[in-house]
Short mmCIF file of all heavy atoms in Angstrom, two decimals:
data_model
loop_
_atom_site.label_atom_id
_atom_site.label_comp_id
_atom_site.label_asym_id
_atom_site.label_seq_id
_atom_site.Cartn_x
_atom_site.Cartn_y
_atom_site.Cartn_z
N GLN N 1 -53.90 -5.75 -10.69
CA GLN N 1 -52.66 -5.59 -9.94
C GLN N 1 -53.01 -5.07 -8.56
O GLN N 1 -54.02 -4.37 -8.39
CB GLN N 1 -51.70 -4.63 -10.64
CG GLN N 1 -51.18 -5.15 -11.95
CD GLN N 1 -50.22 -4.17 -12.60
OE1 GLN N 1 -50.16 -2.99 -12.27
NE2 GLN N 1 -49.45 -4.67 -13.55
N MET N 2 -52.18 -5.43 -7.61
CA MET N 2 -52.42 -4.97 -6.25
C MET N 2 -51.08 -4.75 -5.56
O MET N 2 -50.04 -5.16 -6.06
CB MET N 2 -53.25 -5.99 -5.47
CG MET N 2 -52.58 -7.32 -5.33
SD MET N 2 -53.52 -8.38 -4.25
CE MET N 2 -52.21 -9.46 -3.74
N GLU N 3 -51.15 -4.08 -4.44
CA GLU N 3 -49.96 -3.91 -3.61
C GLU N 3 -50.33 -4.26 -2.17
O GLU N 3 -51.48 -4.08 -1.77
CB GLU N 3 -49.38 -2.51 -3.72
CG GLU N 3 -50.31 -1.41 -3.25
CD GLU N 3 -49.73 -0.01 -3.46
OE1 GLU N 3 -49.19 0.26 -4.55
OE2 GLU N 3 -49.84 0.80 -2.53
N GLN N 4 -49.37 -4.76 -1.45
CA GLN N 4 -49.60 -5.08 -0.05
C GLN N 4 -49.41 -3.82 0.78
O GLN N 4 -48.46 -3.07 0.58
CB GLN N 4 -48.62 -6.16 0.44
CG GLN N 4 -49.01 -7.56 0.08
CD GLN N 4 -50.31 -8.01 0.73
OE1 GLN N 4 -50.73 -7.52 1.77
NE2 GLN N 4 -50.96 -8.97 0.09
N THR N 5 -50.34 -3.57 1.68
CA THR N 5 -50.24 -2.44 2.61
C THR N 5 -50.37 -2.99 4.02
O THR N 5 -50.69 -4.16 4.21
CB THR N 5 -51.35 -1.40 2.35
OG1 THR N 5 -52.60 -1.94 2.81
CG2 THR N 5 -51.44 -1.01 0.89
N SER N 6 -50.16 -2.15 5.00
CA SER N 6 -50.31 -2.59 6.39
C SER N 6 -51.77 -2.91 6.71
O SER N 6 -52.06 -3.56 7.70
CB SER N 6 -49.76 -1.54 7.35
OG SER N 6 -50.40 -0.30 7.12
N TRP N 7 -52.69 -2.48 5.85
CA TRP N 7 -54.12 -2.79 6.03
C TRP N 7 -54.54 -3.99 5.18
O TRP N 7 -55.71 -4.32 5.12
CB TRP N 7 -54.97 -1.58 5.66
CG TRP N 7 -54.88 -0.48 6.67
CD1 TRP N 7 -54.06 0.60 6.62
CD2 TRP N 7 -55.61 -0.38 7.88
NE1 TRP N 7 -54.24 1.37 7.72
CE2 TRP N 7 -55.20 0.80 8.52
CE3 TRP N 7 -56.58 -1.17 8.49
CZ2 TRP N 7 -55.71 1.21 9.75
CZ3 TRP N 7 -57.10 -0.76 9.71
CH2 TRP N 7 -56.66 0.42 10.32
N GLY N 8 -53.60 -4.61 4.48
CA GLY N 8 -53.92 -5.76 3.63
C GLY N 8 -53.74 -5.41 2.17
O GLY N 8 -53.28 -4.32 1.82
N PRO N 9 -54.13 -6.33 1.27
CA PRO N 9 -53.95 -6.07 -0.16
C PRO N 9 -54.83 -4.92 -0.65
O PRO N 9 -55.97 -4.79 -0.24
CB PRO N 9 -54.36 -7.38 -0.83
CG PRO N 9 -54.98 -8.22 0.21
CD PRO N 9 -54.69 -7.63 1.54
N TYR N 10 -54.25 -4.08 -1.50
CA TYR N 10 -54.96 -2.93 -2.07
C TYR N 10 -54.92 -3.07 -3.59
O TYR N 10 -53.84 -3.13 -4.18
CB TYR N 10 -54.30 -1.63 -1.63
CG TYR N 10 -54.93 -0.40 -2.24
CD1 TYR N 10 -56.16 0.06 -1.79
CD2 TYR N 10 -54.30 0.30 -3.27
CE1 TYR N 10 -56.75 1.19 -2.35
CE2 TYR N 10 -54.88 1.42 -3.84
CZ TYR N 10 -56.11 1.86 -3.37
OH TYR N 10 -56.69 2.96 -3.92
N VAL N 11 -56.09 -3.12 -4.23
CA VAL N 11 -56.17 -3.27 -5.68
C VAL N 11 -55.87 -1.92 -6.32
O VAL N 11 -56.58 -0.94 -6.09
CB VAL N 11 -57.56 -3.80 -6.11
CG1 VAL N 11 -57.67 -3.84 -7.62
CG2 VAL N 11 -57.82 -5.16 -5.51
N THR N 12 -54.82 -1.89 -7.13
CA THR N 12 -54.40 -0.64 -7.76
C THR N 12 -54.89 -0.52 -9.20
O THR N 12 -55.07 0.59 -9.70
CB THR N 12 -52.87 -0.51 -7.75
OG1 THR N 12 -52.31 -1.65 -8.41
CG2 THR N 12 -52.34 -0.42 -6.33
N SER N 13 -55.10 -1.67 -9.86
CA SER N 13 -55.44 -1.65 -11.28
C SER N 13 -56.28 -2.87 -11.63
O SER N 13 -56.03 -3.97 -11.13
CB SER N 13 -54.14 -1.67 -12.09
OG SER N 13 -54.40 -1.89 -13.45
N ILE N 14 -57.29 -2.67 -12.47
CA ILE N 14 -58.10 -3.76 -13.03
C ILE N 14 -58.25 -3.48 -14.52
O ILE N 14 -58.49 -2.34 -14.93
CB ILE N 14 -59.49 -3.85 -12.36
CG1 ILE N 14 -59.37 -4.13 -10.87
CG2 ILE N 14 -60.35 -4.93 -13.03
CD1 ILE N 14 -60.71 -4.14 -10.12
N HIS N 15 -58.10 -4.53 -15.34
CA HIS N 15 -58.25 -4.42 -16.79
C HIS N 15 -57.33 -3.34 -17.36
O HIS N 15 -57.67 -2.61 -18.29
CB HIS N 15 -59.71 -4.14 -17.14
CG HIS N 15 -60.04 -4.29 -18.59
ND1 HIS N 15 -60.05 -5.50 -19.24
CD2 HIS N 15 -60.37 -3.36 -19.53
CE1 HIS N 15 -60.38 -5.32 -20.50
NE2 HIS N 15 -60.58 -4.03 -20.71
N GLY N 16 -56.15 -3.19 -16.72
CA GLY N 16 -55.17 -2.22 -17.20
C GLY N 16 -55.45 -0.78 -16.80
O GLY N 16 -54.71 0.11 -17.18
N LEU N 17 -56.51 -0.54 -16.06
CA LEU N 17 -56.86 0.82 -15.65
C LEU N 17 -56.52 1.00 -14.18
O LEU N 17 -57.09 0.35 -13.30
CB LEU N 17 -58.35 1.09 -15.88
CG LEU N 17 -58.87 2.47 -15.51
CD1 LEU N 17 -58.16 3.56 -16.31
CD2 LEU N 17 -60.38 2.53 -15.76
N ALA N 18 -55.57 1.89 -13.91
CA ALA N 18 -55.09 2.11 -12.55
C ALA N 18 -55.69 3.37 -11.94
O ALA N 18 -55.88 4.37 -12.63
CB ALA N 18 -53.56 2.21 -12.55
N GLY N 19 -55.95 3.29 -10.66
CA GLY N 19 -56.36 4.47 -9.91
C GLY N 19 -55.19 5.44 -9.80
O GLY N 19 -54.03 5.05 -9.96
N SER N 20 -55.50 6.69 -9.51
CA SER N 20 -54.45 7.71 -9.46
C SER N 20 -54.79 8.74 -8.40
O SER N 20 -55.92 9.24 -8.34
CB SER N 20 -54.35 8.39 -10.82
OG SER N 20 -53.64 9.59 -10.73
N MET N 21 -53.80 9.07 -7.57
CA MET N 21 -54.01 10.13 -6.59
C MET N 21 -54.18 11.47 -7.28
O MET N 21 -54.95 12.32 -6.83
CB MET N 21 -52.86 10.16 -5.59
CG MET N 21 -52.87 8.95 -4.65
SD MET N 21 -51.49 8.88 -3.51
CE MET N 21 -51.73 10.35 -2.56
N ASP N 22 -53.49 11.66 -8.41
CA ASP N 22 -53.60 12.93 -9.14
C ASP N 22 -55.02 13.13 -9.67
O ASP N 22 -55.56 14.24 -9.62
CB ASP N 22 -52.61 12.97 -10.31
CG ASP N 22 -51.16 13.02 -9.83
OD1 ASP N 22 -50.93 13.43 -8.68
OD2 ASP N 22 -50.28 12.62 -10.62
N ASP N 23 -55.61 12.05 -10.20
CA ASP N 23 -56.98 12.12 -10.73
C ASP N 23 -58.03 11.84 -9.66
O ASP N 23 -59.23 11.91 -9.95
CB ASP N 23 -57.17 11.10 -11.86
CG ASP N 23 -56.30 11.39 -13.05
OD1 ASP N 23 -55.89 12.55 -13.23
OD2 ASP N 23 -56.02 10.43 -13.81
N ARG N 24 -57.58 11.48 -8.46
CA ARG N 24 -58.47 11.11 -7.34
C ARG N 24 -59.39 9.95 -7.74
O ARG N 24 -60.58 9.97 -7.48
CB ARG N 24 -59.27 12.33 -6.88
CG ARG N 24 -58.37 13.47 -6.41
CD ARG N 24 -59.13 14.74 -6.11
NE ARG N 24 -60.24 14.56 -5.21
CZ ARG N 24 -60.26 14.92 -3.93
NH1 ARG N 24 -59.21 15.49 -3.41
NH2 ARG N 24 -61.33 14.73 -3.18
N THR N 25 -58.80 8.93 -8.37
CA THR N 25 -59.58 7.76 -8.81
C THR N 25 -59.09 6.51 -8.11
O THR N 25 -57.91 6.42 -7.71
CB THR N 25 -59.47 7.56 -10.33
OG1 THR N 25 -58.09 7.50 -10.70
CG2 THR N 25 -60.17 8.69 -11.09
N TYR N 26 -59.98 5.54 -7.97
CA TYR N 26 -59.66 4.26 -7.34
C TYR N 26 -60.72 3.24 -7.72
O TYR N 26 -61.76 3.59 -8.27
CB TYR N 26 -59.61 4.41 -5.81
CG TYR N 26 -60.96 4.66 -5.17
CD1 TYR N 26 -61.60 3.65 -4.47
CD2 TYR N 26 -61.62 5.88 -5.30
CE1 TYR N 26 -62.85 3.86 -3.89
CE2 TYR N 26 -62.85 6.10 -4.73
CZ TYR N 26 -63.47 5.08 -4.03
OH TYR N 26 -64.71 5.28 -3.47
N TRP N 27 -60.46 1.97 -7.42
CA TRP N 27 -61.43 0.91 -7.65
C TRP N 27 -62.22 0.69 -6.37
O TRP N 27 -61.67 0.36 -5.33
CB TRP N 27 -60.72 -0.38 -8.09
CG TRP N 27 -60.32 -0.31 -9.53
CD1 TRP N 27 -59.10 0.00 -10.03
CD2 TRP N 27 -61.18 -0.54 -10.64
NE1 TRP N 27 -59.14 -0.01 -11.40
CE2 TRP N 27 -60.40 -0.35 -11.81
CE3 TRP N 27 -62.52 -0.89 -10.79
CZ2 TRP N 27 -60.92 -0.50 -13.09
CZ3 TRP N 27 -63.04 -1.04 -12.06
CH2 TRP N 27 -62.25 -0.84 -13.20
N GLN N 28 -63.53 0.92 -6.47
CA GLN N 28 -64.43 0.74 -5.33
C GLN N 28 -65.17 -0.59 -5.50
O GLN N 28 -65.66 -0.90 -6.58
CB GLN N 28 -65.43 1.89 -5.26
CG GLN N 28 -66.37 1.78 -4.07
CD GLN N 28 -67.34 2.95 -4.01
OE1 GLN N 28 -67.78 3.48 -5.02
NE2 GLN N 28 -67.68 3.35 -2.79
N PHE N 29 -65.29 -1.35 -4.41
CA PHE N 29 -65.96 -2.64 -4.45
C PHE N 29 -67.30 -2.53 -3.76
O PHE N 29 -67.41 -2.02 -2.64
CB PHE N 29 -65.08 -3.72 -3.81
CG PHE N 29 -63.85 -3.99 -4.62
CD1 PHE N 29 -62.69 -3.26 -4.42
CD2 PHE N 29 -63.87 -4.96 -5.62
CE1 PHE N 29 -61.56 -3.50 -5.19
CE2 PHE N 29 -62.75 -5.20 -6.39
CZ PHE N 29 -61.60 -4.47 -6.18
N LEU N 30 -68.35 -3.02 -4.45
CA LEU N 30 -69.73 -2.90 -3.97
C LEU N 30 -70.43 -4.25 -3.97
O LEU N 30 -70.12 -5.13 -4.79
CB LEU N 30 -70.53 -1.96 -4.88
CG LEU N 30 -69.94 -0.59 -5.19
CD1 LEU N 30 -70.65 0.03 -6.37
CD2 LEU N 30 -70.06 0.29 -3.97
N SER N 31 -71.38 -4.38 -3.08
CA SER N 31 -72.30 -5.51 -3.08
C SER N 31 -73.69 -4.93 -2.84
O SER N 31 -73.88 -4.18 -1.88
CB SER N 31 -71.95 -6.50 -1.97
OG SER N 31 -72.91 -7.54 -1.92
N ALA N 32 -74.61 -5.24 -3.71
CA ALA N 32 -75.98 -4.69 -3.62
C ALA N 32 -75.94 -3.16 -3.52
O ALA N 32 -76.62 -2.56 -2.71
CB ALA N 32 -76.72 -5.29 -2.44
N GLU N 33 -75.08 -2.56 -4.36
CA GLU N 33 -74.95 -1.10 -4.47
C GLU N 33 -74.32 -0.45 -3.23
O GLU N 33 -74.24 0.77 -3.14
CB GLU N 33 -76.31 -0.44 -4.75
CG GLU N 33 -77.04 -1.03 -5.94
CD GLU N 33 -76.61 -0.45 -7.27
OE1 GLU N 33 -76.18 0.71 -7.30
OE2 GLU N 33 -76.71 -1.17 -8.26
N ASN N 34 -73.89 -1.24 -2.25
CA ASN N 34 -73.27 -0.71 -1.03
C ASN N 34 -71.77 -1.01 -1.02
O ASN N 34 -71.36 -2.13 -1.36
CB ASN N 34 -73.90 -1.33 0.22
CG ASN N 34 -75.36 -0.96 0.35
OD1 ASN N 34 -75.74 0.18 0.18
ND2 ASN N 34 -76.19 -1.96 0.60
N ALA N 35 -70.98 -0.03 -0.61
CA ALA N 35 -69.54 -0.23 -0.53
C ALA N 35 -69.22 -1.30 0.51
O ALA N 35 -69.86 -1.35 1.57
CB ALA N 35 -68.85 1.08 -0.15
N LEU N 36 -68.26 -2.15 0.20
CA LEU N 36 -67.85 -3.19 1.14
C LEU N 36 -67.13 -2.53 2.31
O LEU N 36 -66.39 -1.56 2.14
CB LEU N 36 -66.92 -4.19 0.46
CG LEU N 36 -67.49 -4.96 -0.73
CD1 LEU N 36 -66.48 -5.97 -1.23
CD2 LEU N 36 -68.79 -5.66 -0.34
N ASP N 37 -67.35 -3.07 3.49
CA ASP N 37 -66.70 -2.50 4.67
C ASP N 37 -65.45 -3.27 5.08
O ASP N 37 -64.87 -3.02 6.13
CB ASP N 37 -67.68 -2.40 5.85
CG ASP N 37 -68.27 -3.74 6.24
OD1 ASP N 37 -67.91 -4.76 5.64
OD2 ASP N 37 -69.10 -3.76 7.17
N GLU N 38 -65.03 -4.21 4.23
CA GLU N 38 -63.80 -4.95 4.45
C GLU N 38 -63.02 -4.98 3.14
O GLU N 38 -63.60 -4.84 2.06
CB GLU N 38 -64.09 -6.39 4.89
CG GLU N 38 -64.76 -6.49 6.24
CD GLU N 38 -65.11 -7.93 6.59
OE1 GLU N 38 -65.67 -8.64 5.74
OE2 GLU N 38 -64.80 -8.32 7.72
N GLY N 39 -61.73 -5.17 3.24
CA GLY N 39 -60.88 -5.22 2.06
C GLY N 39 -61.01 -6.53 1.31
O GLY N 39 -61.58 -7.50 1.81
N VAL N 40 -60.44 -6.57 0.11
CA VAL N 40 -60.55 -7.76 -0.75
C VAL N 40 -59.89 -8.98 -0.14
O VAL N 40 -60.26 -10.10 -0.45
CB VAL N 40 -59.98 -7.50 -2.16
CG1 VAL N 40 -60.77 -6.43 -2.88
CG2 VAL N 40 -58.50 -7.17 -2.12
N GLY N 41 -58.91 -8.78 0.73
CA GLY N 41 -58.22 -9.91 1.35
C GLY N 41 -58.96 -10.52 2.52
O GLY N 41 -58.59 -11.59 3.00
N ILE N 42 -60.03 -9.85 2.98
CA ILE N 42 -60.79 -10.35 4.13
C ILE N 42 -62.25 -10.62 3.78
O ILE N 42 -62.83 -11.58 4.26
CB ILE N 42 -60.72 -9.34 5.29
CG1 ILE N 42 -59.28 -9.26 5.80
CG2 ILE N 42 -61.66 -9.72 6.42
CD1 ILE N 42 -59.08 -8.27 6.91
N TYR N 43 -62.85 -9.80 2.93
CA TYR N 43 -64.27 -9.94 2.62
C TYR N 43 -64.55 -11.30 1.99
O TYR N 43 -63.88 -11.71 1.05
CB TYR N 43 -64.75 -8.83 1.69
CG TYR N 43 -66.23 -8.89 1.45
CD1 TYR N 43 -67.11 -8.40 2.41
CD2 TYR N 43 -66.75 -9.47 0.30
CE1 TYR N 43 -68.48 -8.47 2.22
CE2 TYR N 43 -68.12 -9.55 0.10
CZ TYR N 43 -68.98 -9.04 1.07
OH TYR N 43 -70.34 -9.13 0.88
N LYS N 44 -65.56 -12.00 2.52
CA LYS N 44 -65.93 -13.33 2.02
C LYS N 44 -67.33 -13.28 1.41
O LYS N 44 -68.33 -13.22 2.13
CB LYS N 44 -65.88 -14.35 3.15
CG LYS N 44 -64.48 -14.53 3.67
CD LYS N 44 -64.42 -15.49 4.82
CE LYS N 44 -62.98 -15.60 5.29
NZ LYS N 44 -62.85 -16.37 6.51
#
């Protein structure tokens, strides 16, 4: 699941597991162990 933000699409949940501000959790996207510097809607 995702939501649209002014910065583009933001992935909120994968496989039924959602990130939470209360738990300070989120889905991080990596390539070769490095965090992507672009969002999922732009990174190719």
Side-chain angles (χ1 to χ4, degrees):
Q1 293 181 343
M2 62 173 204
E3 62 184 45
Q4 279 296 336
T5 72
S6 56
W7 288 96
Y10 177 74
V11 175
T12 57
S13 169
I14 299 176
H15 192 69
L17 181 60
S20 164
M21 290 177 63
D22 293 338
D23 296 337
R24 300 173 52 105
T25 54
Y26 70 106
W27 282 99
Q28 181 179 34
F29 292 89
L30 309 164
S31 176
E33 308 276 332
N34 296 314
L36 300 183
D37 58 2
E38 294 176 313
V40 297
I42 294 178
Y43 185 79
K44 295 178 181 172

